[in-house]
Amino acid sequence: MADNKEKIAEALKSWNEKTQKVLAKNPERKAQFETLSEIPINRLYTPLDIEHIDYLEEIGFPGQYPFVRGVQNTMHRGRLWTMRQYAGFGSAEDTNKRFRYLLEQGQTGLSVAFDLPTQIGYDSDHPLSVGEVGKVGVAIDSVRDMAVLFDQIPLDQVSTSMTINSPAAVITAMYLALADKSNISFDKLRGTIQNDVLKEYIARGTYIFPPHIALRITTNIIEYCAKNMPQWNSISISGYHMREAGCTATQEVAFTLANGITYVQSVINAGLKVDEFAPRLSFFFSAHLDFFEEIAKYRAARRLWAKIMKERFKAQDPRSWMLRYHVQTAGCSLTAQQPLLNILRTGFEALSAVLGGCQSLHTNSYDEALALPSEQAVQIALRTQQIIAYEIGVTETVDPLGGSYYVEYLTDKIESDAEQYIKKIDEMGGMVTAIESGYVQQEIAHSAYEYQKKVESKERIVVGMNKFQIKEPPPTGLLKVDMSVGERQAEKLKVLRAERDNQAVLRCLEDVKRAAKDEKENLMPPILEAVKAEATLGEICDALREVFGEYVGGTSY
Amino acid sequence: MSEKKIIRVVLAKPGLDGHDRGAKVIARALRDAGMEVIYTGLRQTPEQIVTTVEQEDADVLMLSILSGAHNYLFPRIMELLKERGITDILVLGGGIIPDEDIPGLKQIGIKEIFGPGTELKTIIDCIHSNLAQANKV
């Protein structure tokens, strides 16, 4: 090997000399090449670039520590990823119809998008909800809406992912109450609750309570799920939204895993053993445009998380070491100009997610820079996944890019750069401190601005937007959300408040408040009781606001 | 030559959506172009936004929204500005706003609506030319 290394080095030297001559005549397109995340890219990668990487220790085999090549032995040869399109708009009736359409079209898991009032813990008739009800997702006020949302969908036969964070306990409770009503035991439920509050303060913005309080609620949910819902992913630790806010691939890995560390520590502090809950932690990443960088990013994240869980938290169950993740293609890469081109962007991004070894995938619809997706656009997005799965052969072997000098080099580079970031955050006192000081937000805002400047200077080409533009007619066929959803929801709330046992609701809300005041109590059981008594999401969140107070977001940029 | 007046911009996020990448990028760009930028942060009610405009004596109000609630929130803000007698202010909007909604928003006094892919320079030029016309700079 050492002998071989010298031979390669010698041959490389001679190749470099010849290349210099070529360059003298024909210079390259740019003086410097770099990834989307500003990692410098060499002209060529050879075995010398990865000679420091020990195959058995650092790469290994799929299904085995450190899982660089995938979390299962057979990966997509065994089972394809879950095709899971994020959907929700209007009322529970509207979204139920879209869900059943998607299941008919061959989708294999549901993913619920909630409207902003629901995500921020307001009922549809709250003054701040005006104009927002049913806009970016479905409006859910009470367990009655939840029953309509899942009408004719057997909860023990689908896996359901729900993008809800600050009020995650309430929505989880509604799902449980629904299962209970249909006589489905909690251990049969499969799915994921996003429940990742920390990234809300960093990037996504649907926070309610101060960070340390939100962390407690998240911890309560993870603990409750670990004990009652063995097939449920109790959190989806998300890099996606930070990436959408403008961070780099390396920052995405670093900040996501740093948030993960915070959650794991918090649940351990609450008294659980790491292997009791870590196997049900899941992750959520973006698939951006830089193809190889993205593939390397997933591989790096898997290795780094495995090391963190094994070395830092001393987890012993191999399932605790595995980073399992959902991917969504990058919404921020879509253009409003020549929107059909987004089908291709999304296709390439989805391909990187699959080659990177994802467990589930959402592909964006081409019209999403303009509006919520239309039915036709959603169908093309789903078909894109099906073409990758069934037509182009990339699923037939595990981690086909493993061993690529470039991909292995990038994997290593992203991992070590992310590790440096995590170290820095540790030194600052952890992620909650880093968020409260605004450090993470500033890092992301900086990256976003730098990226935009590159687009403006045309250092970065966006086809159809800053180059190859055409005159085009205004888009047609966009989805319009019915403006009357808000009124209909308000009407339903009126009926609900008239029909339910309001004394029982009040008692339940008092109980929620009492539990909130006692740090040692888990909030899930009293919230479940409140939901069953048909207390609304807004009422339960208000009860918690009364005890916990509210977080006020930052104004720095 | 008299000292050039520094343009004061209030950049606001009305409604409940948390998408502030665009707003923050624009805030930095306007700052780098020599303007004074006050960013309100997320989830501002129309009342809060108009109060900030009053307190900051702003020349420009920029509204960023991606949730789809613009047809309710923008008119409400314009109404409140009028009620409080703030008429000499340049109001600009941006975000995910369907083409068909733009004429209506312009009619109530929003000078320009910027969609995805707008160059920062276009926004900066728009501010300069409009304020020059109003003899403010």
Side-chain angles (χ1 to χ4, degrees):
Chain A
M1 198 68 184
D3 188 34
N4 192 28
K5 185 184 135 193
E6 271 164 37
K7 278 186 190 160
I8 295 172
E10 217 167 282
L12 179 63
K13 197 172 156 227
S14 128
W15 181 81
N16 273 330
E17 281 160 11
K18 282 181 193 137
T19 307
Q20 287 309 318
K21 283 178 198 152
V22 174
L23 288 173
K25 272 196 235 155
N26 302 305
E28 291 175 330
R29 287 180 290 111
K30 293 185 274 187
Q32 279 172 330
F33 290 76
E34 59 178 30
T35 67
L36 191 61
S37 300
E38 302 184 327
I39 297 172
I41 305 174
N42 295 345
R43 180 170 303 120
L44 185 77
Y45 290 87
T46 71
L48 301 182
D49 292 291
I50 59 168
E51 60 163 345
H52 62 287
I53 303 171
D54 182 302
Y55 182 81
L56 291 176
E57 290 281 318
E58 296 288 322
I59 299 174
F61 293 91
Q64 290 175 18
Y65 187 87
F67 302 102
V68 176
R69 308 204 64 179
V71 291
Q72 295 113 3
N73 288 50
T74 58
M75 286 305 292
H76 301 137
R77 281 170 67 106
R79 201 179 139 260
L80 292 169
W81 61 94
T82 304
M83 298 179 193
R84 197 191 289 281
Q85 299 294 96
Y86 184 48
F89 60 94
S91 65
E93 287 86 355
D94 300 325
T95 302
N96 175 263
K97 220 170 106 195
R98 177 66 69 88
F99 280 170
R100 289 198 276 142
Y101 171 79
L102 285 165
L103 290 171
E104 272 163 32
Q105 294 294 313
Q107 173 163 300
T108 48
L110 294 175
S111 174
V112 189
F114 296 95
D115 73 355
L116 286 162
T118 306
Q119 293 193 52
I120 302 171
Y122 296 128
D123 284 336
S124 296
D125 57 359
H126 190 283
L128 286 173
S129 302
V130 183
E132 308 270 13
V133 177
K135 278 281 155 60
V136 304
V138 58
I140 298 292
D141 291 319
S142 76
V143 71
R144 291 189 187 184
D145 293 327
M146 204 69 160
V148 174
L149 183 62
F150 289 100
D151 184 37
Q152 297 179 55
I153 299 169
L155 298 191
D156 52 351
Q157 283 165 47
V158 287
S159 106
T160 306
S161 165
M162 293 189 279
T163 299
I164 194 80
N165 295 279
S166 296
V170 183
I171 293 291
T172 305
M174 286 184 186
Y175 198 76
L176 292 174
L178 200 60
D180 211 29
K181 234 179 175 173
S182 330
N183 286 319
I184 296 167
S185 62
F186 295 174
D187 60 350
K188 297 272 188 322
L189 299 175
R190 286 181 301 121
T192 306
I193 191 95
Q194 194 163 77
N195 193 24
D196 170 10
V197 282
L198 292 175
K199 60 93 171 58
E200 297 298 330
Y201 306 91
I202 298 170
R204 195 165 171 276
T206 68
Y207 41 72
I208 303 177
F209 312 109
H212 66 281
I213 298 287
L215 186 57
R216 173 204 162 177
I217 304 175
T218 291
T219 306
N220 284 173
I221 297 170
I222 296 175
E223 198 181 340
Y224 185 88
C225 291
K227 289 175 181 161
N228 300 285
M229 305 164 76
Q231 298 198 72
W232 192 263
N233 297 313
S234 52
I235 190 168
S236 173
I237 307 162
S238 307
Y240 185 81
H241 317 88
M242 299 188 275
R243 194 75 192 276
E244 284 290 293
C247 79
T248 66
T250 303
Q251 289 170 332
E252 184 186 358
V253 172
F255 298 154
T256 308
L257 300 198
N259 282 344
I261 289 169
T262 312
Y263 295 125
V264 171
Q265 191 59 57
S266 176
V267 182
I268 290 173
N269 293 350
L272 265 72
K273 292 202 176 69
V274 63
D275 288 322
E276 288 174 339
F277 66 92
R280 293 319 306 183
L281 304 176
S282 65
F283 290 82
F284 173 22
F285 292 108
S286 164
H288 216 301
L289 285 165
D290 194 319
F291 191 72
F292 294 112
E293 179 171 67
E294 291 303 283
I295 294 166
K297 176 185 81 181
Y298 307 121
R299 301 173 87 249
R302 273 196 296 270
R303 182 158 69 206
L304 189 49
W305 185 248
K307 286 183 189 169
I308 289 167
M309 292 309 288
K310 194 175 181 202
E311 289 163 19
R312 183 172 181 148
F313 291 111
K314 313 285 181 229
Q316 284 168 3
D317 185 342
R319 292 177 309 151
S320 300
W321 305 332
M322 289 179 192
L323 180 143
R324 298 170 299 117
Y325 65 102
H326 172 71
V327 174
Q328 179 168 343
T329 55
C332 63
S333 72
L334 304 180
T335 59
Q337 297 76 16
Q338 303 181 45
L340 287 174
L341 302 181
N342 293 328
I343 297 174
L344 297 164
R345 292 190 179 98
T346 298
F348 293 130
E349 291 166 352
L351 184 56
S352 74
V354 169
L355 289 170
C358 68
Q359 278 61 60
S360 105
L361 176 62
H362 165 105
T363 31
N364 289 328
S365 299
Y366 66 81
D367 53 1
E368 286 188 76
L370 301 160
L372 287 190
S374 61
E375 210 157 84
Q376 188 220 3
V378 172
Q379 190 186 53
I380 291 174
L382 179 59
R383 294 287 180 261
T384 304
Q385 293 197 39
Q386 290 161 338
I387 288 171
I388 294 172
Y390 298 108
E391 292 190 6
I392 63 172
V394 291
T395 51
E396 312 300 273
T397 188
V398 178
D399 188 30
L401 284 161
S404 149
Y405 307 123
Y406 179 40
V407 170
E408 293 297 357
Y409 167 81
L410 267 182
T411 303
D412 201 55
K413 170 81 179 149
I414 292 174
E415 185 198 2
S416 58
D417 286 358
E419 227 175 342
Q420 288 307 311
Y421 255 116
I422 292 174
K423 215 173 136 199
K424 198 168 172 187
I425 291 164
D426 278 337
E427 283 164 8
M428 292 172 78
M431 206 53 172
V432 174
T433 315
I435 290 168
E436 283 172 345
S437 72
Y439 165 76
V440 187
Q441 297 91 314
Q442 285 290 321
E443 285 286 294
I444 294 175
H446 176 76
S447 297
Y449 189 39
E450 292 307 309
Y451 174 80
Q452 187 60 32
K453 284 198 282 194
K454 281 183 191 162
V455 171
E456 308 253 317
S457 67
K458 296 194 173 33
E459 198 183 322
R460 194 152 274 290
I461 297 301
V462 183
V463 175
M465 193 185 88
N466 68 2
K467 203 172 181 174
F468 313 113
Q469 300 100 320
I470 51 166
K471 274 230 168 318
E472 49 187 334
T476 53
L478 299 180
L479 181 91
K480 282 218 87 128
V481 178
D482 184 358
M483 281 294 276
S484 69
V485 183
E487 290 153 35
R488 279 188 282 141
Q489 283 301 114
E491 197 49 49
K492 281 196 226 168
L493 279 166
K494 227 185 247 170
V495 173
L496 172 87
R497 291 189 178 115
E499 287 178 359
R500 67 183 185 184
D501 178 351
N502 283 305
Q503 285 305 317
V505 169
L506 282 179
R507 274 196 305 276
C508 287
L509 292 177
E510 281 309 313
D511 215 33
V512 168
K513 281 189 247 178
R514 189 194 44 74
K517 285 177 197 149
D518 183 354
E519 243 175 77
K520 293 205 168 53
E521 238 195 278
N522 192 311
L523 281 161
M524 277 303 294
I527 289 178
L528 181 55
E529 287 314 306
V531 160
K532 282 182 179 171
E534 301 191 312
T536 66
L537 175 114
E539 288 163 347
I540 298 170
C541 289
D542 276 347
L544 295 172
R545 281 187 184 97
E546 211 182 298
V547 179
F548 293 141
E550 285 184 80
Y551 176 78
V552 180
T555 57
S556 64
Y557 52 85
Chain B
M1 218 167 86
S2 68
E3 207 178 305
K4 215 172 162 186
K5 184 178 177 288
I6 291 177
I7 299 170
R8 294 176 65 78
V9 182
V10 167
L11 212 160
K13 285 283 304 169
L16 301 180
D17 86 278
H19 299 94
D20 58 359
R21 174 178 180 164
K24 285 179 170 176
V25 164
I26 289 170
R28 283 180 180 229
L30 299 186
R31 180 195 62 195
D32 289 356
M35 301 180 203
E36 172 102 27
V37 183
I38 299 102
Y39 172 51
T40 61
L42 303 179
R43 288 193 220 164
Q44 297 291 301
T45 62
E47 288 76 10
Q48 286 171 317
I49 290 169
V50 174
T51 303
T52 306
V53 166
E54 261 179 331
Q55 284 169 351
E56 298 293 343
D57 190 21
D59 304 299
V60 186
L61 170 62
M62 300 186 74
L63 303 168
S64 162
I65 188 163
L66 288 87
S67 74
H70 50 272
N71 279 341
Y72 168 73
L73 291 165
F74 283 10
R76 181 77 193 119
I77 291 163
M78 297 310 288
E79 216 173 86
L80 282 171
L81 284 172
K82 217 178 187 177
E83 268 175 35
R84 299 199 197 170
I86 307 168
T87 48
D88 61 339
I89 188 165
L90 172 65
V91 184
L92 305 171
I96 305 276
I97 294 170
D99 285 352
E100 61 198 76
D101 293 348
I102 294 175
L105 296 174
K106 284 192 171 171
Q107 208 162 29
I108 58 167
I110 296 169
K111 196 80 193 177
E112 208 59 69
I113 299 283
F114 299 109
T118 306
E119 279 193 35
L120 296 169
K121 196 179 165 302
T122 311
I123 299 169
I124 294 166
D125 289 349
C126 172
I127 293 176
H128 280 301
S129 68
N130 274 288
L131 293 192
Q133 264 176 32
N135 290 321
K136 280 194 135 190
V137 280

